[in-house]
Amino acid sequence: MEAGPRRDPDPDPAHRNGPGQHQDQLEAQQQALVEHLKERGFLRTARIEAAFRAVPRHLFLPGVPSEEVYRDQVIPLKIVDGVCISSSSQPAIMAIMLEQLGLEPGQRVLEIGAASGYNAALMAHILGESGTIVTIDIDEDLVEGARAHLEAAGYRQVHVICGDGAQGYPPAAPYDRIILTVAAGDIATPWYEQLKPDGRLLLPLVLRDAQFSVALERRDDHLESVSVRFCAFMMLRGPFAEAGGIFALGPRTEASPALQLRLNNYQPVDVTALYRDLAGPWYDLPSGVLASLHEVHYGFNSWLSQQEPTACSLVAQREHPALTELPWLFKVAGLEARATIGIVADNHVALLALPPGWRVPASGASQSGQVACEIMVRCFGGAEYLARRLLSLLRSWDTAGRPASWLLMPGDDRLRLRVYPLHVPCPEKPTPERLIFTRRWSRLVIERQA
């Protein structure tokens, strides 16, 4: 049911007794990982490279074989009901985000998402003894584990707090840097308030079905990106997790919800009523539009987000008996997740679906998404007006020549984002090259540059 970090940094006492063959092996594996990250261009700054060379990751992942610890891979930390809800991130994305963060010795940093404590240790090494780090996590067992790991590695100056990261940590504010190692769909007001005027906020930001690690700095009355990179993180948990237009549907456990409804633009949703519709009777409307899943995913998906304020996606993070009849169009690469898209209004939803009995061909993954089929529109709860609205939008996209998409996979080096708190007027208007999403506390302006 659940696996969490252990207190003992190494269960074999012989491995803790000074230099020796085992220690030499660990050192060699650690340095090989650093060389791998350098060769791939993820480590560019000397201070960050030195931190990866100095901080032993295996002390933060007790019980995990060292050959796995020092691979460039994600390591699960906590699993509940078969779902991983906390992990030690892939070293490559940790290096990318530390480069984005731009740490300087002596700074004050807030990390939201303590996990194993390894990332906090890397930052502590970069900041030096004059720096201050507060790292916060929502689960007490993870907090206890991170404290034990940090102490074992000699980074006792890191303050590990149990709490809701959406609230930040006011006692140590303001911060030069705030970093999230979990994804969010909005910018929480406390993060604005606790960031210094010349500070930097770095977070994995959910933009529809994609995530981008975005480094933001203040520009007068708003935040503006200085770096954007593609990423994939687990979602922030706690009450704020639904504030940006990301709603949990269906029965919950301590783990991530079985279903997530993700909205472009925030609107209140009765999750009980909506889930009741999804679990009830439905029927499909034929569209007459023959398209591949690749075209729908990278074309209609983003076109819909530009044309329709009520556009949404539905994402399942694992198989579930109650979800067998839902119309999954896409499997999210590298994750045990499936998704489809549609529109939501008046606590009803209409979603795109596949023809009855149609299955993605068993050919190579790179070709299977190119096979065309008729796209259906599924009506739930008798709300045919909504299904026919989605049907009309799909046909309009087809008639318009199936405009190509840029939102989901634009090349992260070409994206620019600006974030305006809702109480600040947004001076910009949507264009074919600029999307504006309204969340509960912010407006997100996403623009592609040539």
Side-chain angles (χ1 to χ4, degrees), residues 404-427:
S405 156
W406 61 266
L407 173 60
L408 291 181
M409 298 298 293
D412 46 31
D413 57 334
R414 299 174 63 191
L415 273 185
R416 296 294 181 271
L417 287 92
R418 289 175 291 282
V419 181
Y420 293 86
L422 280 190
H423 68 270
V424 173
C426 178

Side-chain angles (χ1 to χ4, degrees), residues 251-292:
R252 293 174 181 259
T253 67
E254 184 185 349
S256 301
L259 281 173
Q260 282 185 353
L261 176 72
R262 300 180 181 178
L263 309 181
N264 274 357
N265 299 289
Y266 179 81
Q267 59 175 293
V269 170
D270 183 335
V271 294
T272 301
L274 197 57
Y275 186 75
R276 186 167 55 243
D277 267 11
L278 288 169
W282 54 266
Y283 55 90
D284 287 343
L285 301 177
S287 69
V289 176
L290 296 176
S292 70

Side-chain angles (χ1 to χ4, degrees), residues 2-117:
E2 179 174 312
R6 303 177 185 176
R7 285 187 169 276
D8 188 351
D10 193 328
D12 184 352
H15 294 165
R16 298 196 294 267
N17 294 332
Q21 184 175 1
H22 181 71
Q23 190 61 39
D24 290 344
Q25 179 185 0
L26 291 172
E27 176 70 16
Q29 291 171 332
Q30 181 175 352
Q31 301 312 314
L33 173 61
V34 174
E35 292 302 323
H36 166 80
L37 297 176
K38 285 187 66 178
E39 289 170 4
R40 297 188 64 191
F42 299 131
L43 286 174
R44 302 189 304 274
T45 303
R47 281 197 297 264
I48 299 175
E49 178 184 338
F52 273 90
R53 291 196 185 279
V55 180
R57 193 185 188 203
H58 64 273
L59 293 183
F60 296 83
L61 298 167
V64 179
S66 63
E67 61 269 19
E68 294 184 24
V69 168
Y70 288 111
R71 286 195 192 115
D72 186 20
Q73 65 180 14
V74 176
I75 303 290
L77 291 178
K78 185 172 182 178
I79 299 173
V80 177
D81 290 340
V83 176
C84 182
I85 62 172
S86 182
S87 67
S88 177
S89 300
Q90 182 182 2
I93 190 60
M94 298 175 82
I96 288 169
M97 293 181 73
L98 289 175
E99 294 282 356
Q100 289 182 287
L101 196 58
L103 293 172
E104 298 289 343
Q107 288 181 329
R108 183 179 295 269
V109 176
L110 172 65
E111 179 188 44
I112 297 169
S116 72

